[in-house]
Amino acid sequence: MRALIHRLLFARAAVAAALLVAVWIVFGLLNARYLTSGNAASVALQMSVLVLLSVGQMFALAVRGFDISVGAVAALSSVVAALAWNAVGPPGLVAGLLTGLVAGTVNGILIARLDVQPIVTTLGMMIGARGLSLLISDAGQVVPIAQPQNLLHLAYGNWFGLAPLAWFALGGVALAALLIRFTLPGRRILMFGSNPEAARLVGMNATRIHILAYQLAGVFASLAGLAMLARTGAGLPTDGAGMELQSIASAVIGGTPLSGGVVSPLGTLLGAAFIQSLGSGLNMSGISPFTAEIAIGVVIIFASSLSIAPQVVNRLKRLFHRRRRKLRP
């Protein structure tokens, strides 16, 4: 029982869960309409895109990198999927998924094989993907899909109290958790992130695993793009701007450190829920939405500090014991 309590108290997702509960309590006291099932369902729908982007970002962070192109890749995937849908029907959605896979593969090869810095690679991909989405959408025009009713049902239908798109995002989190927990590639991603040199010494194809992490980031970005398409019934070439930073924030708040080697799919979900709930609460309370940016920045610093807290405590304990031994007669 003691071990169970320790795990519950110090789980990596506990910080995000505590922040989420605090947000709902505070805004629930400020506005009674906030604590309603309707608002909860609305937040779940609104955060579906961010959840998928954040899960993909989690894999990039796991290998000591990051991907600031995920928002642009999601927008490009939505435009490609819309154009393909209009050409061949619903099977065209596969084109959107392949778009994310290609973008992730290019990022992974440049970073893992050519040793290009992640910031340079993914910044270039972000600019390139955004430019390409504007180009193929006829100078930034929205690309509506033909007969969007079935797709829009995913965003505005109701499955057990939530939109199908919210369940779709939860399925993405569950898929990531299963991949990390029960598959060899998932465990190798964590091993590589923990110690890349050791991973190479034990015979792991570290380059392939490194590329795989960015491929997963790209695929989840394309899933987010399909979620955008389902919410609007159209490909949006300018959507997703700024969400790359929110996705990093969600993963870090949820317990995925920037140092790599550790991930928390549940924590990432809760981190995304916290960010979306904070924005929704500020909006409903009439508070400037820019306040959310300040709050999120403070929370990221706080959450990142918690990751090094055990090291600080252990170092203080060692210093204390050394001092005691010196003071003994």
Side-chain angles (χ1 to χ4, degrees):
M1 178 61 72
R2 186 175 181 180
L4 176 60
I5 293 175
H6 184 273
R7 287 184 180 182
L8 289 174
L9 290 177
F10 297 100
R12 303 197 69 84
V15 173
L19 290 171
L20 180 59
V21 171
V23 164
W24 277 82
I25 290 175
V26 170
F27 286 112
L29 294 174
L30 293 175
N31 191 330
R33 292 185 296 118
Y34 192 78
L35 291 178
T36 61
S37 59
N39 184 54
S42 176
V43 170
L45 172 61
Q46 292 169 15
M47 75 180 195
S48 57
V49 172
L50 179 58
V51 168
L52 293 168
L53 288 176
S54 301
V55 171
Q57 190 71 248
M58 179 187 73
F59 286 105
L61 292 171
V63 292
R64 304 188 178 191
F66 51 84
D67 187 349
I68 60 173
S69 69
V70 290
V73 170
L76 177 60
S77 297
S78 74
V79 173
V80 170
L83 292 172
W85 175 294
N86 291 337
V88 300
L93 295 178
V94 176
L97 291 175
L98 292 177
T99 300
L101 178 60
V102 170
T105 302
V106 171
N107 282 337
I109 290 174
L110 290 174
I111 294 169
R113 290 192 181 277
L114 302 181
D115 292 325
V116 182
Q117 291 295 319
I119 181 65
V120 176
T121 299
T122 58
L123 177 61
M125 179 60 70
M126 179 184 73
I127 296 171
R130 187 69 69 185
L132 183 57
S133 64
L134 292 170
L135 178 64
I136 64 177
S137 63
D138 192 17
Q141 299 298 314
V142 172
V143 183
I145 61 175
Q147 299 179 343
Q149 293 80 8
N150 292 335
L151 200 57
L152 288 173
H153 176 73
L154 295 177
Y156 303 103
N158 189 311
W159 289 357
F160 305 102
L162 294 177
L165 201 58
W167 291 111
F168 177 69
L170 291 175
V173 175
L175 178 62
L178 292 173
L179 179 65
I180 291 293
R181 179 67 179 84
F182 295 108
T183 70
L184 184 59
R187 293 194 294 271
R188 284 183 171 176
I189 286 175
L190 298 186
M191 186 185 301
F192 176 86
S194 298
N195 193 327
E197 293 304 319
R200 292 186 178 94
L201 290 174
V202 298
M204 180 191 300
N205 189 340
T207 300
R208 180 69 191 90
I209 292 300
H210 204 169
I211 294 173
L212 175 62
Y214 279 93
Q215 287 176 323
L216 289 170
V219 169
F220 274 94
S222 65
L223 289 173
L226 297 185
M228 293 175 180
L229 187 63
R231 283 171 53 177
T232 61
L236 303 175
T238 59
D239 209 358
M243 296 193 74
E244 52 278 335
L245 300 182
Q246 290 186 5
S247 68
I248 295 175
S250 299
V252 171
I253 292 171
T256 300
L258 298 174
S259 55
V262 177
V263 298
S264 176
L266 175 60
T268 300
L269 170 65
L270 295 174
F274 162 74
I275 290 176
Q276 190 63 58
S277 298
L278 180 61
S280 176
L282 291 171
N283 183 55
M284 292 182 66
S285 301
I287 302 173
S288 171
F290 299 114
T291 307
E293 304 296 331
I294 300 173
I296 291 169
V298 172
V299 170
I300 290 175
I301 296 172
F302 172 70
S304 299
S305 300
L306 289 179
S307 65
I308 64 171
Q311 302 173 21
V312 175
V313 171
N314 290 334
R315 184 168 296 183
L316 290 174
K317 284 182 178 180
R318 288 196 296 269
L319 291 173
F320 177 73
H321 289 312
R322 288 178 187 173
R323 188 69 177 269
R324 288 188 61 183
R325 284 195 295 269
K326 289 181 180 179
L327 294 176
R328 285 177 182 173

